[in-house]
Amino acid sequence: MTEHIAVVGGGTGGTVLANNLAEKLVPEIESEGVEITLFNDGPDHVYKPVWLYVAFGQREPEDGRRPLRELVDDRVDIRQDYVFNIDYEKKELELVDAIEPVAYDKLVVATGSQLDPERVPGLVEGGHHFYGEDGAQALRDELLTMDGGHVVLSVVGSPHMCPAAPLEFVFMLDDWLRERGRRDDFELTYTYPIMRVHGNEHIAEWAHPRLEARDIAIETMFNAEAVDPEAQTITSMEQTELEYDLLVTIPPHTGSDLIEEAGLGDGGWVDVDKHTLEATGFEDIYAIGDAAQTGVPKAGSAAHYQANVVAQRLASEVRGQPATAVYGGKTICFIETGMDDATFVEFDYERPPNPSEPTRAMHWSKLAYNESYWLTARGLL
């Protein structure tokens, strides 16, 4: 009897996992003892960190997309369809374009994060963002036409994808304007919803003086409540109001409706054992990447390391062996500190991040990683 491993979501976590499983389970796949299916609602795999560079005209949208079929091992079946329900009692997936539900034996949920800007009145009409292809292009065009004014970067929702990106944007914007001799024409303000400039206190301590040194105004404990596109103001729940000429936001994020509606977790996030990544209270279900509530940042590197762990655990389970692989919370992140300098952090559940001194070499290392990412997705790095 063939054992079916289903992976829902073709982002970083799902793609790396599918490729790792295909590599680890070659004998079982060839003997038809195991079948692996990757479900994704579109044909492409998207590398979201590229959108930050699109906003500054350094990359084109096509640099952030590849056909999923080009990245995934041929031993993995790819089904382009929308999974709208998980019946965990029957171990079945219901799909929009399938008449009959699809049975699974092991399930991995890798559904990622979704933007939810409608949660804040006026945000869709009055704000820009760089968390998607269209948003990054519109922001790029707006930056190129501005002669000056007040640019507000507001982190509206947390948690959010790529926690370092808001800092990267204001550091890069400051540098981008200085390179063009236009910095004196602009006022920059950075807002964050808690009493520091980043969710991680160690990164906040590192970043705060660097923001001040660049004359970037800081507003902490700023929880955006409403945007008035006509008056060009953003108001916080704390009754602080900021006028802007350009509002760039990190929109509120939510998890997948699929998770919420299936009863696997509140807000679209799956509660998991942070070491094994098994869904709490559900048999034969794992969650990885942004979908998993582990306490680590919603970053691609975390999804990558989690995928490696789950692949090892599933391979052991398929072979009737004890699953011993565990995730220690490892996350790595390059942080751009300008247009040609960057720092690097590596941390886990036990060790906090300690940003290195920004260097040009680290900036080029980040660009090199971005270019080699497609090898990572294929499971080659």
Side-chain angles (χ1 to χ4, degrees):
M1 181 175 173
T2 302
E3 186 159 7
H4 185 205
I5 301 174
V7 182
V8 180
T12 297
T15 301
V16 172
L17 173 66
N19 282 328
N20 280 2
L21 284 171
E23 185 67 27
K24 292 178 183 300
L25 295 173
V26 172
E28 289 80 3
I29 294 171
E30 291 182 347
S31 66
E32 299 185 352
V34 168
E35 177 186 4
I36 303 166
T37 305
L38 176 61
F39 296 87
N40 198 53
D41 56 7
D44 291 339
H45 177 95
V46 177
Y47 182 49
K48 296 176 182 179
V50 167
W51 307 141
L52 173 63
Y53 298 92
V54 170
F56 290 102
Q58 294 190 324
R59 290 289 184 273
E60 295 300 323
E62 53 267 27
D63 294 331
R65 298 189 306 270
R66 294 286 188 280
L68 192 58
R69 185 69 274 176
E70 292 181 5
L71 301 176
V72 176
D73 193 295
D74 289 340
R75 290 167 289 205
V76 175
D77 180 30
I78 296 176
R79 290 194 59 171
Q80 184 181 327
D81 202 344
Y82 183 78
V83 179
F84 71 88
N85 186 46
I86 298 170
D87 187 330
Y88 53 84
E89 294 182 344
K90 294 182 179 180
K91 290 191 173 182
E92 291 179 342
L93 305 176
E94 295 183 72
L95 291 83
V96 169
D97 294 330
I99 298 175
E100 298 292 332
V102 177
Y104 68 83
D105 296 289
K106 306 286 185 181
L107 174 65
V108 183
V109 180
T111 46
S113 299
Q114 321 296 325
L115 301 184
D116 188 19
E118 293 83 1
R119 194 187 307 174
V120 177
L123 185 60
V124 173
E125 300 83 2
H128 286 75
H129 68 82
F130 54 90
Y131 269 60
E133 180 177 335
D134 293 341
Q137 291 183 92
L139 177 55
R140 175 197 61 198
D141 296 343
E142 189 70 21
L143 287 173
L144 289 172
T145 60
M146 287 188 72
D147 295 324
H150 187 197
V151 180
V152 175
L153 183 286
S154 185
V155 179
V156 176
S158 184
H160 57 80
M161 293 179 279
C162 197
L167 289 169
E168 290 186 293
F169 178 81
V170 290
F171 287 144
M172 292 173 71
L173 179 59
D174 172 76
D175 221 7
W176 189 80
L177 292 170
R178 292 180 191 278
E179 287 178 353
R180 287 156 177 77
R182 301 168 57 196
R183 181 61 175 89
D184 291 342
D185 299 324
F186 286 82
E187 179 186 357
L188 306 184
T189 298
Y190 175 93
T191 85
Y192 206 77
I194 61 175
M195 288 298 295
R196 54 179 185 254
V197 300
H198 192 271
N200 184 284
E201 62 179 314
H202 300 277
I203 293 177
E205 290 172 1
W206 167 84
H208 195 117
R210 286 168 169 80
L211 291 168
E212 292 184 322
R214 293 170 181 241
D215 196 26
I216 298 170
I218 298 168
E219 288 280 351
T220 55
M221 207 59 193
F222 187 97
N223 288 273
E225 184 174 46
V227 175
D228 187 331
E230 292 187 5
Q232 293 191 298
T233 60
I234 179 170
T235 306
S236 74
M237 296 178 186
E238 297 78 18
Q239 300 307 305
T240 301
E241 183 179 274
L242 295 174
E243 296 181 350
Y244 65 83
D245 295 288
L246 173 63
L247 175 63
V248 183
T249 70
I250 311 304
H253 284 44
T254 185
S256 169
D257 291 342
L258 170 65
I259 293 171
E260 181 88 33
E261 292 168 6
L264 295 178
D266 294 334
W269 318 113
V270 182
D271 286 326
V272 299
D273 182 299
K274 71 177 186 178
H275 294 292
T276 67
L277 304 167
E278 295 171 293
T280 304
F282 299 95
E283 187 177 358
D284 294 323
I285 298 178
Y286 286 90
I288 60 175
D290 290 2
Q293 290 275 51
T294 60
V296 301
K298 296 190 180 301
S301 63
H304 183 178
Y305 292 121
Q306 291 167 11
N308 290 341
V309 168
V310 172
Q312 292 180 54
R313 294 186 65 85
L314 286 173
S316 296
E317 291 173 7
V318 164
R319 292 167 179 153
Q321 301 168 352
T324 59
V326 293
Y327 174 60
K330 184 175 181 180
T331 307
I332 64 170
C333 182
F334 292 94
I335 305 174
E336 297 281 21
T337 54
M339 299 307 290
D340 57 7
D341 290 288
T343 185
F344 176 79
V345 292
E346 179 178 354
F347 53 99
D348 55 34
Y349 291 140
E350 303 297 329
R351 298 177 302 135
N354 181 24
S356 60
E357 187 64 27
T359 65
R360 182 166 296 186
M362 199 59 71
H363 163 73
W364 285 104
S365 294
K366 177 168 186 178
L367 296 186
Y369 177 80
N370 287 345
E371 293 299 321
S372 65
Y373 169 76
W374 305 108
L375 296 176
T376 299
R378 289 186 176 96
L380 300 177
L381 286 178

